[in-house]
Structures are given as C-alpha cells and as structure tokens.
Amino acid sequence: MQATDAFHFPRGFLWGTATSSHQVEGQQANNDWWAAEEQGGMIYKNQRSGPACDWWNRAEEDFDRMADLGHRTHRLSIEWSSIQPKPDRWDLGALDRYVEMISGLRERDIEPMVTLHHFTNPIWVAERGGWANENIIPLFQKYVERVVRRLSDQVTLWCTINEPMVLVSQGMMLGLWPPGKRDFSMARRAAINLARAHAVAYHTIHDIDDRAQVGLAKHMVVWNPDHIWLPTDHLVARLFNFISNHIFLRAITQGVVRLPGTRPIRIDRARGTLEWLGVNYYQRYRVGLRMRQMLQSLIPGLSGEFLYRGTRPDHPQGPGTWGEFHPRGLYESLGSLMRYGVPLYVTENGIPSQDDGPRVRFLINHLHQLWNAIQDGFPVQGYYHWSLLDNFEWAEGYNPLYRFGLIEVDFETQQRRVRESGQTYGQIAQANAITRDTVGRFAPDLDSHLFGGNHRS
Ligand code: BGC
C-alpha cells in the first residue's frame, strides 16, 4: 500500500466506545432520572428508561462484540445510586457486579476507563439539594472511596465527572433535566461544588493508588460568530467559549474560579488535579447579538431574546436544536485544550441519526481531523465513540432520531445488529489507520476528499 493510501495512528492508540450506567444498564430505580421518568413531563413521550440495554444482565455479550470489532478500550460509568441506594446502605453485590464487568473487559484485553459520575444522583442525594448543596462533596467522596478501593487493582484510567457544565446548564439553568430548575445562583453553586468534588475525588483516588490516571470528560462546543464581519458576534462567541468551554477547566487547573464581575473564589486543593483531559465533542453553533431585540429588551413590556444561538440551514446538522456537524471542530477543540498541558482523550464523539450513512461519514471525517491533530503534535491517546449501542438518550428517551449506536438495538427483543458504521470503526481500529480500502468500501464518496489532494500520511 502506498503511503498516501492510509492515515496511520500512533502505535498503542486506544480505540473504543463510551456508555453510561443509566443509559444502558436498566432498572436504575434509585436515581433522580428514574424519579423524573416516573413523574413524567420531562422526557420524550413520557418514556421511561426501563430495562434500557439490559447491561446489568448482559453486558458481557456486548463486550464480546467490542472484542470482535477490535476495540481496545471502553469507557463505562458506575452508578452511585446502585452502590449506595440509601444513605446508610451500601450494596456490596452491586459493587461485585462492577468488579465482574471490569474483569470481563480485562479478560478481553479491553482497557476500562471508569467514570464515577455521569449525570445521575441517588434520589436521597437529590432530596438533600444535589449538587447545589455543598454537603454533597463529603458524600461523593465516601462513594468514590468505596468504589476505588474495590476497583483500583483493575482500573488505572479514572474519569471523575462527566460534563459538569452540561449537568449544570441543563438541570439548573434551562430546567430541562433533573432537578428541573432555572436558577442562576443555584447553578453557580453547583458548578463550584462540582469543581470541588472533582478535586476531592482526585486526591481520594491518589491516596488509594498513586499510579492512577485521573481526569474528567469536558463537553466542548464550537461557538462561531454568526456574522463574520460583526465585532459584537465575535464578542458573543468568545464569551460563550469562555463560559461553556473554559471556566470549569481553569478552576480545576488553577484552583480558582474567576467569573467576570465577581470576586475570585478559591477551590480548595483543585490546582493541578488533572492527569489527562477528555473532550466530548458533538457540535457547532453560530452565535451573535441581535441589536433590534436588544434595544427592545430595554423598553419595558417589549422583551426580546437578544442573544442568538443557531445554525445555518444549508449545513449538515442534527435534529431539533442539536447544532451543526463540524468535523474540523474536533481538531479545534483538541487544540484549544493544549493550554492545559496534559494528555488528551476524545472521551465522546458521535451523531444522533436514524440512518447509518451519515454516521459512517461523520466517523471518517472526524477521525481524519483527529489524525490531523495528532500529526500536529496534539497529545491524543485514545478515541471513544459515543456510543457502542443505541441507548436511553436522557430527555429524548428512545426517540428514534437520537440513535447513537455503532450497534443497533431492538428495545423490544434486546437483539443487536452491528451497523455499517460499526464495521467501519472496527476496520479502522484493527488497522490502527483510516485506509483507502475502508473508505472505498463504506464511504466511496469521501475518497477524493481524503485521498485526492496532497494529504500527509
Ligand atoms: C453525554 C451522553 C449523551 C451524549 C449524546 C453527552 O453529552 O455525556 O450521556 O448521551 O452526549 O447526547
């Protein structure tokens, strides 16, 4: 094969997928999402997660599929509400089941990355105010300690918290997820508590195992000015970028939160609590300031939304308000994290789509940008596609427009079918390269885009 016929990845690069407990395990009756599902009103067609992908009983069958497809790593999460369903009750059987799952991954030569918090809280924690109450920090620490003591001999890669800013904005600013609030001061407290909890988890893990590699998964969005010639749109894009992408990371790397116009807040022991950083990358938005609406908002009785967030209609995009697919954004997001000076992982990247064709192209185009990033010296160690299989997509429930799996799941029968995207990804993982053969077989229309020009390889 000629040099230009493949984009090779570094030796030992980790290829895998990501899942989270509530989205795949099923019957998570002790967490706040389950409670919200029971209550109704928050989820697509009032659906309930129910058995989800029944991973509690059949994860190993899917581990076999991962192994067959050449995956070498998997990111999964531990469900706090299963380990500690009540304040004074620890379910050691549940912990045993996680030990079994992680051994199952190891037996198949699949390196586990373990997330300690992926959006859900035990109901009893939520009833005490959840992340908005600083008392959650010692509670979280106890849970982390239990889990890490039990799993540390099999786990090196720990991800403390998944997407803290998404949790805060969806749950406490937009009111779309539990606890369903729109309360800025609550959201602010929760963000600070999440940063503190990350720091405490970092030290707890290291006290138990000094070889551990601790990081977190940060949702990164590309914010572009809607009108390239309008300085105000640039300003809004920069502001969104700072708030949604960097405030939290600054807090845990520098140990202090600096919000515009407020006094700095020290985050105890947070400085330098990252050994790696994970990027969850999905979309781009165009943003800007609508002057007319802004002036209207100054006139009592005439209010208008003056901050604009949208997409270009002619650009490929996801359903609803999902945003635009923008492969180059993966490169840009990884690049913007270089300033934190730690190794990087793509801890999530995927596409909501009922059809698999767009997923194949999404995958190849994003992996090509990942390859470019590595060529340019970005220290990316692995890539976790979201997701291995279709699963419960939070407020979208089982809405068919929000299928993310490389493997299709029939939720009636629990049958699986590997999609073409799953085969594409399997070939890339096995070859440790995007080869011209793979592109020719699964997305021939991309051949000239990828291999036609003077690409480095
Ligand atoms: C979350 C996943 C979610 C995925 C797709 C990420 O923000 O971590 O739990 O399913 O996006 O929406």
Side-chain angles (χ1 to χ4, degrees), residues 17-19 74-76 113 115 118 159 162 217 280 347-348 384:
T17 56
T19 53
H74 181 68
R75 172 174 172 239
L76 75 171
M113 174 186 276
T115 305
H118 196 122
C159 172
N162 180 67
N280 291 2
T347 35
E348 286 181 31
Y384 294 82

Side-chain angles (χ1 to χ4, degrees), residues 114-157:
V114 173
T115 305
L116 291 159
H117 192 278
H118 196 122
F119 294 157
T120 54
N121 277 331
I123 292 173
W124 63 270
V125 171
E127 283 171 355
R128 295 175 184 194
W131 285 108
N133 179 349
E134 66 182 0
N135 292 338
I136 194 172
I137 298 165
L139 301 174
F140 184 63
Q141 178 179 20
K142 281 203 185 108
Y143 150 73
V144 169
E145 193 181 336
R146 284 265 175 161
V147 171
V148 177
R149 281 205 188 287
R150 193 69 211 287
L151 297 181
S152 64
D153 59 337
Q154 299 209 72
V155 178
T156 311
L157 284 171

Side-chain angles (χ1 to χ4, degrees), residues 14 65 122 144 316-317 362:
L14 286 177
R65 294 184 178 95
V144 169
Q317 52 193 280
F362 177 100

Side-chain angles (χ1 to χ4, degrees), residues 15-198:
W15 296 101
T17 56
T19 53
S20 89
S21 53
H22 187 76
Q23 295 178 272
V24 295
E25 286 176 4
Q27 314 303 351
Q28 300 291 352
N30 295 309
N31 75 32
D32 53 350
W33 268 88
W34 186 272
E37 292 161 28
E38 270 188 335
Q39 205 184 347
M42 204 172 258
I43 292 148
Y44 171 76
K45 292 192 172 170
N46 279 330
Q47 287 176 339
R48 304 187 47 187
S49 53
C53 306
D54 195 25
W55 255 34
W56 201 243
N57 302 307
R58 61 177 89 214
E60 284 78 357
E61 294 168 25
D62 288 322
F63 296 172
D64 283 340
R65 294 184 178 95
M66 294 175 193
D68 288 347
L69 292 168
H71 299 186
R72 295 197 43 229
T73 187
H74 181 68
R75 172 174 172 239
L76 75 171
S77 76
I78 307 281
E79 178 63 38
W80 182 359
S81 66
S82 297
I83 305 294
Q84 194 181 10
K86 296 271 182 274
D88 52 359
R89 194 175 148 238
W90 295 90
D91 185 338
L92 302 181
L95 207 41
D96 287 345
R97 176 67 184 121
Y98 283 115
V99 171
E100 190 178 56
M101 282 193 207
I102 286 162
S103 318
L105 289 171
R106 284 243 173 261
E107 280 158 20
R108 292 166 179 81
D109 281 331
I110 298 172
E111 176 77 30
M113 174 186 276
V114 173
T115 305
L116 291 159
H117 192 278
H118 196 122
F119 294 157
T120 54
N121 277 331
I123 292 173
W124 63 270
V125 171
E127 283 171 355
R128 295 175 184 194
W131 285 108
N133 179 349
E134 66 182 0
N135 292 338
I136 194 172
I137 298 165
L139 301 174
F140 184 63
Q141 178 179 20
K142 281 203 185 108
Y143 150 73
V144 169
E145 193 181 336
R146 284 265 175 161
V147 171
V148 177
R149 281 205 188 287
R150 193 69 211 287
L151 297 181
S152 64
D153 59 337
Q154 299 209 72
V155 178
T156 311
L157 284 171
W158 294 99
C159 172
T160 55
I161 295 168
N162 180 67
E163 300 187 351
M165 295 301 277
V166 172
L167 175 68
V168 166
S169 65
Q170 295 287 97
M172 290 164 247
M173 288 176 72
L174 301 171
L176 300 173
W177 290 4
K181 297 281 193 282
R182 294 170 73 112
D183 178 338
F184 182 74
S185 89
M186 182 182 189
R188 191 169 160 276
R189 280 200 313 276
I192 293 166
N193 289 336
L194 280 155
R196 292 203 166 111
H198 161 80

Side-chain angles (χ1 to χ4, degrees), residues 69 71 354-364 367 385 387-388 390 404-408 416-429 437-445:
L69 292 168
H71 299 186
Q354 209 166 4
D355 302 329
D356 197 45
R359 184 168 6 259
V360 173
R361 281 187 290 279
F362 177 100
L363 188 60
I364 293 175
L367 293 181
H385 190 76
S387 179
L388 177 73
D390 297 337
F404 284 90
L406 297 173
I407 297 178
E408 180 185 343
R416 311 317 202 218
R417 185 182 65 85
V418 178
R419 293 193 166 110
E420 289 229 325
S421 53
Q423 293 169 20
T424 310
Y425 188 58
Q427 285 202 355
I428 293 172
D437 287 347
T438 301
V439 174
R441 176 163 165 210
F442 294 104
D445 52 315

